[in-house]
Amino acid sequence: MPVLSRSRELCQRLGMPPSPPVLRALAIASVTQAEFQQAHDLGDQLLGLVQRHQDPVLLVEAHYVLGVTLFWKGALALSRSHLEQAVAHYDRQRSPTHVALYTQDPEGVCLIRLAIDLWCLGYAEQAQARSREAVARARELAHPFSLAYVLATDAWLQNLRRDVCATREQAEADIVLCREHGIAFWLPLGQILHGWALGEQGEVAAGIGPDGRGNDRVTRRRW
């Protein structure tokens, strides 16, 4: 985050507009540090840049940032609205640009985040439908980081639904994928949920695991 902040400061000192990828990265870093108002402000700034430059890729990313941020602020209906707008404006032909500039494909990611919103809002069937769409799209695209995001978040959704078998399946798929591609960010969530599922199935010792992460029983298989 210090590097990203320094980049933004240099743009300001040079009289240049801030780089959208830098602002978006700062916003997501703020979310991970629970600095939600800062993330919200950055999301609004991204939307302002969209209106100035008419950038369809940035439009999707700005709505994604605001959707995620508002979820963690507890504004579920507003979060849902932004994620739905992100999905509506997404163009699959622009997927390579999203990945190159913003590290992930937003379709599956926004769909799975939308599924979490819908579940929390009480729309269980809609949540599952969006979840299935998200996983199908992420597997079709086969971009490792995007798929890991979707699998880990879907395991979380299945945990909220108390579907032990589905939680274990998605968590295992996430763990295998993260290990194969060296994706550290989405590995811990998969391990936690896998450990929970093992414990619920009576495999308490395996769920705890010798390393305390509940992942020693995951079989090596292709996702």
Side-chain angles (χ1 to χ4, degrees):
M1 190 148 174
V3 173
L4 296 171
S5 299
R6 179 61 175 160
S7 175
R8 182 170 61 170
E9 291 171 5
L10 288 173
C11 287
Q12 292 172 344
R13 290 175 61 181
L14 293 171
M16 299 171 57
S19 165
V22 169
L23 290 179
R24 196 275 210 175
L26 278 167
I28 297 304
S30 297
V31 169
T32 63
Q33 296 179 11
E35 296 174 351
F36 301 128
Q37 188 55 53
Q38 179 170 305
H40 197 165
D41 292 342
L42 288 165
D44 286 337
Q45 191 172 351
L46 288 169
L47 268 185
L49 290 174
V50 171
Q51 295 169 1
R52 185 184 309 166
H53 300 293
Q54 297 299 303
D55 183 344
V57 169
L58 183 57
L59 176 61
V60 174
E61 297 292 339
H63 281 302
Y64 162 72
V65 166
L66 288 169
V68 172
T69 302
L70 286 162
F71 170 83
W72 291 113
K73 293 179 75 174
L76 297 177
L78 285 174
S79 172
R80 174 186 178 181
S81 176
H82 279 288
L83 291 170
E84 287 177 337
Q85 289 184 70
V87 173
H89 290 291
Y90 173 79
D91 182 347
R92 290 190 179 186
Q93 292 184 345
R94 296 191 174 100
S95 177
T97 303
H98 283 285
V99 171
L101 293 178
Y102 301 104
T103 74
Q104 65 194 28
D105 178 82
E107 185 179 27
V109 166
C110 288
L111 285 169
I112 198 63
R113 299 294 317 202
L114 182 56
I116 296 289
D117 270 349
L118 290 166
W119 172 262
C120 293
L121 287 165
Y123 301 107
E125 292 184 4
Q126 292 183 43
Q128 271 294 84
R130 288 301 197 181
S131 167
R132 288 190 290 269
E133 287 181 56
V135 173
R137 171 54 182 161
R139 289 190 182 279
E140 177 187 348
L141 180 65
H143 177 248
F145 187 83
S146 303
L147 180 57
Y149 191 148
V150 171
L151 290 173
T153 309
D154 190 46
W156 174 25
L157 175 64
Q158 304 313 319
N159 169 262
L160 292 174
R161 296 179 63 248
R162 292 299 185 263
D163 187 329
V164 177
C165 292
T167 300
R168 178 171 179 171
E169 179 181 356
Q170 296 299 73
E172 287 184 353
D174 172 63
I175 291 169
V176 170
L177 178 66
C178 288
R179 285 174 172 172
E180 289 181 350
H181 294 276
I183 301 171
F185 190 86
W186 292 111
L187 181 60
L189 180 56
Q191 292 172 324
I192 290 167
L193 293 169
H194 185 246
W196 172 84
L198 289 174
E200 288 293 306
Q201 292 178 331
E203 302 179 55
V204 177
I208 296 172
D211 58 357
R213 292 177 293 181
N215 64 351
D216 59 307
R217 292 284 300 278
V218 177
T219 57
R220 302 290 293 180
R221 59 182 174 82
R222 297 295 299 176
W223 47 268

